[in-house]
Amino acid sequence: MSPGHFVARVTLDPDAPTDGYPFDLGVVRWLRAHGGLALYPGVTFLVGENGSGKSTFVEALAVALGLNAEGGSRSFRFATRASESDLGSHLRLARRPGRERSSFFLRAESYYNVATEVERLDREGGGPPLAQAFGGTPHERSHGESFVALMTHRFTPRGLYLLDEPEAALSVTGALAVLARMVDLTARGSQFVVATHSPVLLALPGATILQLDDDGAVRRVGYDEALPVALTRSFLADPDAFLRHL
């Protein structure tokens, strides 16, 4: 089966504001100036420094797809604190023929809230137990274990999955487990869009890496050129060269 390709391009509404956050972010200016951003079959990674807008973009894409801004599927409608930008309401999605069978937004910083909502819904009843679909109650696992369980049990073939910095909870071993699961799901028709700083995840074969540069440009780069890979290699090769400047 070919890698999934459900959303091919993201464009900005011509009537979207031009000033103020998040419309002054480099990635949003790029959307406006270049007529949108292509998403590729299989896995599209977004990399860049903190503040480059990659997480804001993934969150807005989730909202544009009808997913919960704090994480989860289209069925989740809780809100702990409405911190998302209004960029999602100004994005337009170019879809390819065929629809995904499943979708999910994994936002690392608020997955605790998703886990709490799963427990609340199961406690109230009225439907099949949700925790089973998450590989067990997420709060009864470590943060990283719950991420791996989510991707093992809740993520299924022909799905559309958005991940915002999933490595935040993962050991290197955990990152390798997530990488292996992404390889498997991609081969079975899934599409991923992932904001990450992880050199481990970026090594996924066949993935497209889009780098959000400080000047606002969005460039397709190879693995060795990607900022997280190049900086990590430089640090490991000579830690003292970095530490002496702290």
Side-chain angles (χ1 to χ4, degrees):
M1 183 180 293
S2 300
H5 197 196
F6 305 105
V7 178
R9 192 170 187 84
V10 181
T11 58
L12 187 67
D13 188 331
D15 297 327
T18 57
D19 299 317
Y21 176 82
F23 302 98
D24 55 0
L25 290 171
V27 64
V28 182
R29 294 198 305 269
W30 177 271
L31 289 174
R32 188 187 306 277
H34 293 82
L37 185 68
L39 300 180
Y40 294 84
V43 180
T44 301
F45 285 117
L46 302 175
V47 301
E49 285 291 354
N50 296 138
S52 63
K54 59 188 182 300
S55 291
T56 301
F57 175 80
V58 172
E59 175 192 83
L61 178 57
V63 171
L65 285 165
L67 301 171
N68 191 51
E70 287 191 35
S73 67
R74 292 183 177 91
S75 299
F76 283 76
R77 283 293 172 260
F78 71 93
T80 306
R81 181 181 183 275
S83 61
E84 69 273 11
S85 74
D86 61 350
L87 177 60
S89 63
H90 295 283
L91 295 184
R92 302 293 177 261
L93 310 181
R95 280 186 165 274
R96 291 173 55 83
R99 297 285 290 195
E100 63 274 11
R101 294 176 182 169
S102 175
S103 57
F104 200 95
F105 175 32
L106 172 58
R107 181 179 175 182
E109 67 179 6
S110 56
Y111 188 62
Y112 179 95
N113 302 339
V114 174
T116 301
E117 179 69 0
V118 168
E119 286 191 344
R120 184 189 71 80
L121 292 171
D122 277 354
R123 189 167 55 248
E124 292 183 355
L130 283 176
Q132 292 181 7
F134 287 73
T137 303
H139 281 319
E140 295 179 357
R141 300 174 182 267
S142 74
H143 201 186
E145 287 175 324
S146 68
F147 278 25
V148 175
L150 171 74
M151 295 189 64
T152 301
H153 298 278
R154 174 60 179 78
F155 288 18
T156 55
R158 286 194 57 80
L160 175 57
Y161 303 114
L162 310 184
L163 313 182
D164 180 24
E165 300 184 2
E167 71 277 4
L170 299 173
S171 66
V172 173
T173 302
L176 288 169
V178 166
L179 174 63
R181 182 59 174 160
M182 290 175 66
V183 169
D184 175 53
L185 288 169
T186 302
R188 298 165 71 186
S190 292
Q191 181 180 13
F192 286 83
V193 180
V194 185
T196 187
H197 297 283
S198 171
V200 174
L201 296 182
L202 290 172
L204 192 148
T208 298
I209 303 174
L210 300 180
Q211 184 158 292
L212 283 57
D213 289 332
D214 291 340
D215 61 2
V218 179
R219 297 185 297 123
R220 186 172 179 174
V221 298
Y223 178 76
D224 292 329
E225 186 183 357
L227 189 61
V229 177
L231 282 177
T232 300
R233 279 182 170 159
S234 295
F235 178 80
L236 292 176
D238 188 4
D240 289 341
F242 287 81
L243 296 175
R244 70 172 61 103
H245 295 292
L246 295 180

